[in-house]
Amino acid sequence: LGIESYRTHYSTMTTPKIKLTYFDIEGVAEPIRLAFALADVEFEDDRINFSQWSELKPKTPHGTLPMMTIDDGPAIVQSQAMLRYAASLDKTDSLYPADKMLEVEQAIGLLGDFTRAWQPNLYLAMRPHLFGYPEGYSKTEEGQAKIKEMRENFVANELPKWLGYLSDMIDANGGTFLCGGDKPTIADCMAVATIRSYTKGHVDHVDVDCVAKSNPKIAAYVERFCALPEVKGRYTTGLGASQ
């Protein structure tokens, strides 16, 4: 199906029964949750505890979350596939408009690059073996010092660059959202979740005010998105939290 046929196919269907399973954190499921909220689509937000993961993991297709089922059908994985599916249920066609598809995909690609640049700084504390360090490295004095150095360096020298790319994109498209217009797209859902992750205080050595200090335009953008009626009141910590 082409994108327009795809939208027509889903828009003529009754809203399906959707269950989205992820941990009780924002993480990679949050853009999907935001897209459903903006599209006014009801879904079961199944949030599991980390203690439940060992039992659930063998039952997932690839040993990963998030996972989605539609009308109790087979499990679906891959968060970006779910994000685009959520957009297909938006009756206003504003989350993934055909005339802005290139801009949306470009922004999503940029956000993917941003996330991958940050990941070694985050996961060295959790999975040091993936980066050539022994298990337990993060608990050593040397490991803790290395993690602190890497994260502080990223926030000081790399974060401003990535936030600058995003603010340039917003400026080039009218100053409101990443891809222009007065309504957000799925790229904004992904961007806001990504940016907020630096501001909630759950990552050691990352100042919760780092985004506001580095790029006030981006901080204002996140606040603007989180003030949307469909999103307002959703957060209690970080940028965009209700006061």
Side-chain angles (χ1 to χ4, degrees):
L1 290 175
I3 186 66
E4 290 303 327
S5 298
Y6 184 74
R7 284 202 179 97
T8 301
H9 172 68
Y10 278 108
S11 65
T12 57
M13 295 173 62
T14 303
T15 301
K17 175 186 174 185
I18 300 167
K19 179 179 180 180
L20 176 63
T21 301
Y22 192 61
F23 302 107
D24 191 17
I25 59 174
E26 293 175 30
V28 294
E30 190 64 7
I32 307 163
R33 296 174 182 140
L34 289 170
F36 280 138
L38 291 170
D40 194 26
V41 172
E42 292 186 4
F43 71 103
E44 180 182 350
D45 191 5
D46 179 32
R47 299 183 180 227
I48 68 165
N49 297 321
F50 287 103
S51 60
Q52 298 172 271
W53 178 229
S54 60
E55 180 181 350
L56 179 61
K57 185 175 182 179
K59 302 174 185 177
T60 65
H62 303 153
T64 60
L65 292 178
M67 177 174 68
M68 179 188 290
T69 58
I70 302 169
D71 290 333
D72 298 317
I76 297 165
V77 292
Q78 296 301 325
S79 59
Q80 290 198 16
M82 298 177 206
L83 182 61
R84 290 173 177 82
Y85 170 72
S88 76
L89 301 179
D90 173 27
K91 292 181 173 60
T92 70
D93 287 345
S94 60
L95 284 174
Y96 195 37
D99 62 344
K100 295 181 182 176
M101 191 180 302
L102 183 60
E103 290 89 343
V104 171
E105 290 298 337
Q106 179 178 232
I108 287 174
L110 175 63
L111 289 158
D113 291 343
F114 181 10
T115 296
R116 283 185 290 274
W118 165 245
Q119 281 177 338
N121 305 279
L122 181 65
Y123 287 115
L124 180 59
M126 301 178 232
R127 303 167 192 165
H129 62 283
L130 296 179
F131 305 99
Y133 294 95
E135 289 288 353
Y137 178 73
S138 63
K139 295 180 172 60
T140 66
E141 186 175 338
E142 177 187 339
Q144 291 173 0
K146 184 67 173 177
I147 291 165
K148 182 176 186 292
E149 176 192 356
M150 287 176 64
R151 291 180 180 176
E152 290 181 346
N153 179 68
F154 185 91
V155 169
N157 300 307
E158 294 297 313
L159 183 62
K161 176 183 74 175
W162 293 104
L163 297 181
Y165 293 154
L166 294 172
S167 63
D168 287 349
M169 187 174 290
I170 293 168
D171 287 344
N173 287 309
T176 303
F177 294 112
L178 282 173
C179 301
D182 58 356
K183 292 184 178 181
T185 68
I186 53 173
D188 297 292
C189 296
M190 190 171 174
V192 167
T194 299
I195 296 161
R196 272 183 40 78
S197 68
Y198 293 89
T199 71
K200 296 184 296 177
H202 67 296
V203 181
D204 292 340
H205 316 302
V206 176
D207 178 4
V208 295
D209 295 320
C210 63
V211 172
K213 291 176 180 176
S214 175
N215 195 312
K217 281 187 179 180
I218 286 294
Y221 157 72
V222 173
E223 296 282 3
R224 184 164 56 250
F225 179 98
C226 292
L228 293 169
E230 301 90 343
V231 183
K232 188 174 182 179
R234 183 178 183 86
Y235 303 118
T236 57
T237 61
L239 266 179
S242 297
Q243 300 301 318

